[in-house]
Amino acid sequence: MNIFLKQATRRPLFTTLLVLLLSFSVLLSCTGYSAWESAKTQKNEISNGYTTIAIPIEPDLSNLSPEEITTALQNRVFADKAAQEAPQITTVDRRCLLSAHIAGSRSLSSSSIDPSEYNTAFDGECYSLAVFALRCSGIREQPTEGMFLYDATFSVEEIICLSDAYNTFPKPDSVHIYSDVRESNGAVPFEKGKTYLVFGQYQDHRVVRSADGYDQVKNENRYIVPFPEINSNFYGEPSSLELGSYNGLDYHFLAAGQLPWVCEYTGSVTDYLNSDAASTWREDIVPLCQLNYESAAVILTDRAESMYSFNTGDEALLSGRFFTGEEYTNGDDVCVISAAYAEQNGLRLGDMIQLDYYDSGFGEYNNGATANSMLAAEDPGPYRQRYYMSLDDAIGVCKNYTVIGIYTGARFAFGAYQLNADTILVPKASVPNAQNYETRANSLLNTFVLKNGSAKEFEKYMEQQNLAGQFLYFDQDFSSMQESLDALETNAMRLMMVGIGVFLLTSALFLFLNFRRMNLTIRGVRLLGRSSKAVFREIIMALIPLETLAVLFGTCAAIALFDVVTRNLLSSALTLRPEAMAVSAVTAFVFLMVSTMISTAIFANRRLMKAK
């Protein structure tokens, strides 16, 4: 029989106490390590569930000199370039803003759901295109500040083309045209008493909120802005208008090759539209209006959740979901629409819509006044308008998308970062060569995604590039809980270090007391001629079972008591991680085996005689 094992069993109380003491140290070390791993994993999982983003700040250009405006706009571009090189950047969401024709859809203008939200800024340029049959009732020349303006008044004979979104208001019986767009010779293109077809941008009475909901300001006029005078035409390349002069006053006239915006007719307007003389109006202008009524904005994105509105709470997911990583990567044909657009068009989750894409462009304006509207009583702030779509703007991509999410928020709002309700979100990769439609240094369309919690480091980096204060930061309130997560991880690490320390001391004590007890026996059997290898084997066979029992008991106790210990010492949020417990137990067992083998080798091979 193994003499060392027999020696251990002769004093069971002493042996049992040593095993229990070692078991306690294993319990403490296993619990500490598992708690630390749990805290670390929990922190990483929470951190990965949050996104820290940097969004370019839209510069306030009001009250700035031309030089200051130039500097502000240049800094925005410089900041975009510098930010791409920042070490805190994980990815950049370069979104694209396109238009799409959705055959058979109803346009979501500002007054479609709530008439009190009507504003000409949100309806231009697509939804407010219109063709009216008018009878001129008067013309007043109104030269103003060097411009050869006129104010022509009309009675409405018939509305040829107007978005059904305007059905919420009474049909107009009269309109004004306040403009400097004339004939090439400077003559006003109208005569009192005659009838005309007019193509342009319709603007109804201004709306103000009231106790009853809203009131139209009917002591003001309704207007039609001539089609060549709307922004994308007037400021386009080339411009739809040419400049003329009369007695020192400037005016504009239609450039060659442009769609007509006015023509005189006699008799029935229906008969005229069916005639060969009106082929351009019938085949080009009216279909152009209809094309734009059945349109919506589309944002191509690689990370919808990184948009400003979804981080401020201005917009939120109402039902369904956003896109998955796989859908972003594969460019799956799925989309997220607004609740207002869904209501306007009777759409639900799982429905399919066909998007025929157009790259018509868009304009950004620093105030709420639409050109020639005469409606801006105050400045509500910046806004964005899609330019009207023409057939030349089609990019040749038409796809069916499945609705997987519906978001809600303010339907229409002023602001450089705002997302209006007529906007559909799709994965960027679903449109081929989407990078060709990117607009850099734009507050709505660009987000720099940072390593979570690294906003301060990123801003410091930008400050080193002399571009501080160029970004807004959002972390979904992760910063408010980061301190608690860091503290939990630190305290768990302390518990682990205490556990490891106790285990090391206890292991040393366990071996010291056992070898102290076996010391005389080891010397005796060696003097009797037992080889050191035989003694080594017998000691190992005596100690390893005891250590195995201690590790098993300690690990089982750690598993059973993990929740109790962590709840009282750390947090009830920690969960037992079996793999961490197993790693800790195996590490403890291996450490004990190696320590035992080294100690045994030393004691078993001691020299028995003193040299003279």
Side-chain angles (χ1 to χ4, degrees), residues 224-301:
I224 294 179
V225 178
F227 179 69
E229 199 173 5
I230 65 178
N231 289 325
S232 60
N233 287 331
F234 186 81
Y235 297 107
E237 292 290 342
S239 174
S240 60
L241 294 172
E242 295 186 24
L243 186 64
S245 181
Y246 177 81
N247 290 336
L249 296 173
D250 291 336
Y251 64 91
H252 289 90
F253 61 92
L254 191 65
Q258 302 295 315
L259 284 174
W261 73 278
V262 60
C263 74
E264 182 184 350
Y265 73 92
T266 56
S268 165
V269 68
T270 301
D271 291 342
Y272 177 74
L273 284 171
N274 289 327
S275 70
D276 292 340
S279 61
T280 298
W281 291 80
R282 183 179 64 252
E283 297 171 6
D284 297 324
I285 293 175
V286 171
L288 178 66
C289 293
Q290 194 62 41
L291 174 74
N292 282 274
Y293 300 157
E294 298 177 344
S295 74
V298 183
I299 286 183
L300 320 181
T301 177

Side-chain angles (χ1 to χ4, degrees), residues 131-412:
V131 177
F132 278 60
L134 304 174
R135 183 178 298 276
C136 183
S137 56
I139 301 170
R140 287 191 306 160
E141 296 283 8
Q142 288 190 332
T144 305
E145 297 180 356
M147 299 176 63
F148 199 16
L149 293 165
Y150 62 88
D151 183 9
T153 57
F154 301 85
S155 61
V156 177
E157 296 288 298
E158 189 173 331
I159 298 175
I160 307 302
C161 198
L162 182 65
S163 169
D164 59 9
Y166 290 88
N167 291 342
T168 53
F169 300 126
K171 294 293 183 183
D173 53 8
S174 65
V175 295
H176 283 241
I177 295 178
Y178 182 75
S179 178
D180 71 344
V181 179
R182 297 169 174 264
E183 303 287 0
S184 59
N185 62 4
V188 174
F190 306 106
E191 290 184 29
K192 184 177 180 179
K194 291 188 175 182
T195 52
Y196 299 88
L197 282 178
V198 174
F199 173 36
Q201 197 171 44
Y202 175 67
Q203 298 173 351
D204 212 314
H205 288 307
R206 186 164 59 92
V207 166
V208 294
R209 295 183 184 274
S210 67
D212 298 327
Y214 74 95
D215 290 319
Q216 287 188 294
V217 185
K218 295 185 177 179
N219 61 341
E220 297 177 350
N221 300 318
R222 298 182 176 99
Y223 288 89
I224 294 179
V225 178
F227 179 69
E229 199 173 5
I230 65 178
N231 289 325
S232 60
N233 287 331
F234 186 81
Y235 297 107
E237 292 290 342
S239 174
S240 60
L241 294 172
E242 295 186 24
L243 186 64
S245 181
Y246 177 81
N247 290 336
L249 296 173
D250 291 336
Y251 64 91
H252 289 90
F253 61 92
L254 191 65
Q258 302 295 315
L259 284 174
W261 73 278
V262 60
C263 74
E264 182 184 350
Y265 73 92
T266 56
S268 165
V269 68
T270 301
D271 291 342
Y272 177 74
L273 284 171
N274 289 327
S275 70
D276 292 340
S279 61
T280 298
W281 291 80
R282 183 179 64 252
E283 297 171 6
D284 297 324
I285 293 175
V286 171
L288 178 66
C289 293
Q290 194 62 41
L291 174 74
N292 282 274
Y293 300 157
E294 298 177 344
S295 74
V298 183
I299 286 183
L300 320 181
T301 177
D302 284 325
R303 194 161 187 158
E305 303 93 320
S306 71
M307 298 179 68
Y308 174 90
S309 297
F310 291 115
N311 283 270
T312 60
D314 293 340
E315 311 285 346
L317 196 63
L318 178 65
S319 60
R321 60 177 176 82
F322 282 122
F323 313 115
T324 64
E326 185 177 357
E327 287 168 340
Y328 281 123
T329 302
N330 297 338
D332 290 350
D333 298 335
V334 290
C335 67
V336 176
I337 64 176
S338 75
Y341 190 84
E343 177 183 348
Q344 182 75 346
N345 288 279
L347 294 171
R348 296 180 297 179
L349 293 176
D351 287 349
M352 190 169 290
I353 57 176
Q354 186 180 77
L355 303 183
D356 187 5
Y357 287 101
Y358 287 70
D359 181 24
S360 55
F362 60 92
E364 294 181 305
Y365 307 97
N366 288 324
N367 58 63
T370 302
N372 296 316
S373 71
M374 297 177 63
L375 300 180
E378 58 184 17
D379 179 11
Y383 66 99
R384 185 176 292 99
Q385 277 188 353
R386 285 186 298 124
Y387 294 150
Y388 73 89
M389 307 182 318
S390 68
L391 295 179
D392 292 338
D393 297 323
I395 67 173
V397 177
C398 183
K399 307 178 76 175
N400 293 319
Y401 286 78
T402 301
V403 178
I404 63 167
I406 297 175
Y407 68 88
T408 186
R411 284 181 286 268
F412 295 92

